[in-house]
Structure formats: structure tokens, C-alpha cells
Amino acid sequence: MTILKMTPEAEASGLTAEIYDDDRRSLGYVPSHTKAMSLNPEAYMAWESLIKAISSSLGLRRYELVTLAAAQGIGSTHCRLAHGKKMLSMLGEDELIAIARDFHTAGLSEAEVAMMDYALKLSTDAASMTDNDAQKLRDFGFSDREIADITFAAAARNYISRSVLAMGVDLDVPEGVSDELQKALLSPLPQMQSKLAAPRKRSAGD
């Protein structure tokens, strides 16, 4: 539980009230992480604008897959649950459970797996990244702008996830997330170092 005093919903005013209202409209409730980040509502709105610019350019499916991978690398249960719930509007629960457990074996395209590997590495060991990491994405057909957007999406997730973790924000479990999906989303980070290090083979159809 955070020691920070967040603004109660009944006492919210101005920009903070607008942020809370937006979450109530889109999610049906105001998550604890929204309340914590709204301690500086101007900064939170700037982050929201950044996310919209990135996701609209990258595409929502790719953005959410990158987000799941980055959140897994960070160990952010808050973002894994929140974005797992969002992805239920795009994917069936069984497919999402498979992705949450290990996206390498979930039936995603090789390009999507490479994109998520990149986000995972950025979130666990960014200092070790080289041009080879971007080249792997280029080899799968990603444009330079798409590579930049993947990078920005993962880096932006690091900002929000690490902020929420550092502040000790309570974990909210969104309605509609089954026990099985929760378990998959909250499972510890799999041992993926060998998969990250090994070059991925492209199929003849790619």
C-alpha cells in the first residue's frame, strides 16, 4: 500500500476530476494507479498524449503486445492485468492465456515474437542492446518508424510501470479477468535468456 495521499474520487476537481471521469467512462472504475499518477495530473495527461501518438502510429494490436512483453520484463503486475483486460477485446481468452504464459509458443507470427523479444530485452537489459537488436526487427520487415515506435512503446511502459511499482500502488484486478487468465498474467517471468540470445529462423513464407 502506498504511503502517498491520493485524491479521493469525491474530492477530485479540475484536471484530476477529468482524468477520473475518463477512466470511469472507459473502464467503469478509477484504478489505484490512475489516482497515484494523477498526483501530477499535467504529467499524467502528457503521458496519455504520448501513448496515443505511439499506439495510433504502431497499431493497437502491436502496441498491446509490446506492452505485455515490456510489463513482463519489468515485473509489473498492475500493467499485465490492466492490459490483459484490454486485449480481451482483440483476442480470445485461450489465445491470451497462451501469450501470457509464453509468447514464443502461443502461435503468434515470427515478426510479433521478435517485436516482443525486443520489448522484453529493453525492459530487462537495455544497456546491452546494440544495432543487432534493431536489425533483427528490420529483417522481419519492420520500417525504421515502426522500430522506433516499438522502442517508444516499451520505454513508455517502463516509465509508468516503474513509477507505479516504486510508489507501492495497490494492485487492482479488473472485472472480467478469469482466475486462469489472472494466473497466467501474474506468473513469474519465464527463463527466456537462451531464446533472446538465439537467432530466430524465418520461414520460407516470410
Side-chain angles (χ1 to χ4, degrees):
M1 179 178 292
T2 183
I3 65 170
L4 303 179
K5 295 181 180 179
M6 299 178 288
T7 304
E9 292 181 50
E11 298 177 16
S13 61
L15 189 54
T16 300
E18 292 179 25
I19 293 170
Y20 286 11
D21 287 343
D22 185 61
D23 269 10
R24 276 191 290 266
R25 284 192 296 270
S26 61
L27 302 175
Y29 72 108
V30 183
S32 297
H33 63 261
T34 293
K35 294 177 182 178
M37 298 304 293
S38 295
L39 286 170
N40 183 335
E42 292 81 10
Y44 186 73
M45 290 300 293
W47 181 79
E48 285 279 307
S49 295
L50 173 65
I51 290 304
K52 288 178 182 177
I54 296 168
S55 60
S56 62
S57 176
L58 184 59
L60 192 56
R61 177 185 170 91
R62 286 178 173 178
Y63 170 77
E64 291 294 347
L65 289 173
V66 167
T67 294
L68 282 183
Q72 187 176 46
I74 299 162
S76 173
T77 52
H78 300 79
C79 291
R80 291 276 286 177
L81 283 174
H83 286 271
K85 171 64 181 293
K86 288 184 179 182
M87 289 205 74
L88 283 173
S89 64
M90 293 179 258
L91 302 172
E93 184 175 287
D94 289 344
E95 184 179 1
L96 183 53
I97 288 172
I99 293 170
R101 286 176 174 163
D102 187 349
F103 60 82
H104 296 92
T105 59
L108 296 173
S109 70
E110 290 191 331
E112 288 176 329
V113 171
M115 175 184 71
M116 294 180 76
D117 273 339
Y118 181 96
L120 181 61
K121 188 172 182 180
L122 183 154
S123 302
T124 55
D125 193 14
S128 73
M129 297 182 79
T130 67
D131 287 345
N132 289 334
D133 295 291
Q135 185 61 52
K136 289 177 184 177
L137 295 184
R138 184 179 281 172
D139 290 345
F140 279 103
F142 289 104
S143 68
D144 285 359
R145 172 157 181 163
E146 288 170 332
I147 294 170
D149 284 337
I150 292 166
T151 304
F152 300 154
R157 185 52 41 191
N158 274 253
Y159 163 72
I160 195 79
S161 293
R162 294 184 189 280
S163 297
V164 169
L165 289 170
M167 290 188 287
V169 175
D170 290 340
L171 179 64
D172 298 310
V173 179
E175 291 185 5
V177 177
S178 70
D179 291 343
E180 187 176 4
L181 180 54
Q182 285 183 48
K183 184 178 179 180
L185 289 166
L186 299 179
S187 61
L189 179 69
Q191 297 300 316
M192 296 181 179
Q193 294 306 313
S194 61
K195 293 179 181 179
L196 286 171
R200 184 167 299 281
K201 295 181 180 179
R202 299 180 66 185
S203 65
D206 288 335

